[in-house]
Structure formats: C-alpha cells, structure tokens
Amino acid sequence: MMKKNLLLLVASTMVLLGACGGEENTNENASDKGGNEEVYTLKLGTALAETDPIYQGLVEFKENVAEKTDNKVNIEIFGNGSLGDDKDIIEQAKVGTNVAVIVDAGRLAEMVPQMGILSAPYLVDSFDEANQVVQSELFKGWEEELSENHNLQVLSFNWYQGERHLLTNKEIKTPADLKGLQLRTPGAAVWTETITAMGASPAGMAFSEVYPGIQQGVIDGAEAQHPATYGANLHEVVDYITKTAHFQLVTGIVAGADWMAELPEEYQTIIYEEASKAGEKASNNTVDSLADFEQKMIDEGVKVNEVDIEPFKEATSVVYEKFEGYKELREEINKILGK
C-alpha cells in the first residue's frame, strides 16, 4: 500500500510539473509574438441624440480608433444621457474609471476657473473663432492644469455644437420679455449668470428631462442649439425659437488622465489624433446642417424669430464682471482672434 501511494505521489508531481512547464511555454510564445494583447474599453457619454452631427462624429471616432488599434481600443457610445449626468461621469473619470464625456468648458471651470470664459456669452462669433481659441497656447495651459491637478485629460476640444437660442412658448423680442420665465440651462455658473443677466430665472435639470419639464409646465422653456433641440424634439413643446445666439457651444471629449496613461503610447497617440480629426469633421458637418435643422423644425410648426441681438449682448456684458479675471481673459482672447 505504501509503495502504491508513493507511486501515485510521484505521478501527481510529474503532472503538476508538466502543467507548470506548459504555462511557461505558453507565456514565452505570447511574448515572442510581441504586442499588447489586452483590449481596452472606454465608455463615452453624451446627452446628444443619434441625429446630431456630433454624435455621428463620435461614431466615426470610435470606428477609426478601432481600425487603427486593430480593435484593441473599443469605444462604447452612450447617447441621450444614458451613461449618466456629465458631472457624475467626470467624477468617475477623475478616480480612474474607464469613462469619458462630451462636455463644455463651463463644467470644467469648476476645476480650472479660467476655462469658463469659453462658455461666456458672445465671446466668439463662429466655429472658426472658437477653434482658434482652443488651439492656442492659452488653452493648452488650461489643459495641462486640468490633467496635472485634477486627473482629467482632454482628448480634443474642437467639437462645435452650434449657436444656442431661446426656446419658449412666449414670443421674445427683447430681454425684458424674459422677465418671470424659468429657463433650463446647464448648471455651470457662467451659464446660469448669463440667463439671469438676460432677464430669466435659470433652472438646472438634466437635458433628458427638458421635454416633459416644458410639457408639464415645470419650466417655461430652455436654451439650446438647433441639432440638440431637434434631437430632443423640443420644438414639439415650444411655440418659438428666438435666435439670440448667446452661446457658441464648443465642447470636448474628456477622460481620466490616469486611465489614458495606462494605455500603450501608440494607442494614446491614435486616440488624440483621431479625436481631433473627427471633431473637426463633425464640427463642419454641424455648421452645414444648422439651416436644415431649422427648416425641419419650421416645417413641423415652430416659429423661428430673428431678433436684434445687441440688447442681449448689452444685457449679458455684466457676466464678465461676475467672474474674476474674465475681463482680462476676454481681452487676451480678442488678441488671439485679431479683434
């Protein structure tokens, strides 16, 4: 019996040694093949609908990154706010979660206050001007501060969503007509101060809640750019779109700096390059689509009004007094733009 047990022990030991040897050979083979076999997944959230040129640009970004990395970097897109509120996604990104978000500078101003100037009223007049600013050394300095001090990495910030206008059931011709109205706007301070300066009361809520909010009378209206208005069907619950163009909405893709740093360097380079290319293309598509979105909404019954924007510019000029350094930053940006 003892001899039999000894033989079984020897046999078991040989099997274990063989198994260990097999694992070592497998690892050597994987190493010999070279390359990183790990697949990285980034969950990208946006409040936009699939009809929006920016959303379509994100799809192109996803496809190009997958192709260039041989499907080793997978970007999953979550539209209509389905990944959560922008602020919540940012907080997750800061602690290293594999998430990213399309976000405006007003939200990022909670961490780098100077960035909020990009969401200030009537700062720039077009995508070309906005793009000049976000490609400048001034903006690059803000990006570095965001990365080094807040663990957030800008992948590209050239995603232009269009001019934002007023959406109401009351006809608006001057800022005085906004008195007593409660309008939804993103919760960033520079946005709420702008709506207050225009004469309305700002109301913060998720963009996905705006349609029922207006329909049920919880709020009196909102402000948004044409592609987002159409994508959320907000033209169905308002009578008027007043073209104040108070914001030129330029946004960016922001992820966690730690998560990006974990990627192989070649993948990081691909992501930055493709984010910039897709952002520029999507922005130009946005510019080209604005008139079409406007006509579609007119055809479906909403009245689009052109107004004199000078009274709105004058009313909102006070916003630059509300935030430390904004007057000086505006002058610096005007120099960048050659104004």
Side-chain angles (χ1 to χ4, degrees), residues 167-242:
L167 316 174
T168 61
N169 282 308
K170 175 185 177 182
E171 187 171 11
I172 306 298
K173 294 181 179 179
T174 69
D177 296 326
L178 289 167
K179 186 176 181 181
L181 298 188
Q182 193 170 33
L183 302 183
R184 184 271 177 185
T185 192
V190 67
W191 295 71
T192 58
E193 287 289 352
T194 298
I195 296 304
T196 300
M198 291 175 80
S201 298
M205 64 172 58
F207 192 66
S208 59
E209 297 173 4
V210 175
Y211 187 107
I214 297 174
Q215 190 178 47
Q216 297 166 18
V218 177
I219 54 175
D220 300 303
E223 52 86 33
Q225 65 278 13
H226 279 353
T229 300
Y230 185 80
N233 295 314
L234 298 183
H235 59 290
E236 296 177 353
V237 290
V238 298
D239 294 328
Y240 299 96
I241 296 177
T242 306

Side-chain angles (χ1 to χ4, degrees), residues 246-264:
H246 48 279
F247 298 131
Q248 298 283 344
L249 183 57
V250 60
T251 54
I253 305 177
V254 177
D258 281 350
W259 187 86
M260 282 295 297
E262 292 175 359
L263 300 179

Side-chain angles (χ1 to χ4, degrees), residues 273-305:
E273 289 179 350
E274 296 305 324
S276 181
K277 290 178 185 176
E280 183 172 359
K281 183 175 179 181
S283 296
N284 288 322
N285 288 342
T286 295
V287 173
D288 293 341
S289 72
L290 293 177
D292 184 51
F293 278 115
E294 183 172 303
Q295 189 58 53
K296 286 180 179 178
M297 292 187 288
I298 291 173
D299 291 344
E300 293 182 31
V302 78
K303 185 173 182 180
V304 176
N305 285 342

Side-chain angles (χ1 to χ4, degrees), residues 122 173 175 243-244 307-317:
Y122 300 107
K173 294 181 179 179
K243 296 181 70 175
T244 49
V307 294
D308 180 6
I309 65 171
E310 290 305 319
F312 293 91
K313 281 187 175 182
E314 184 177 346
T316 57
S317 62

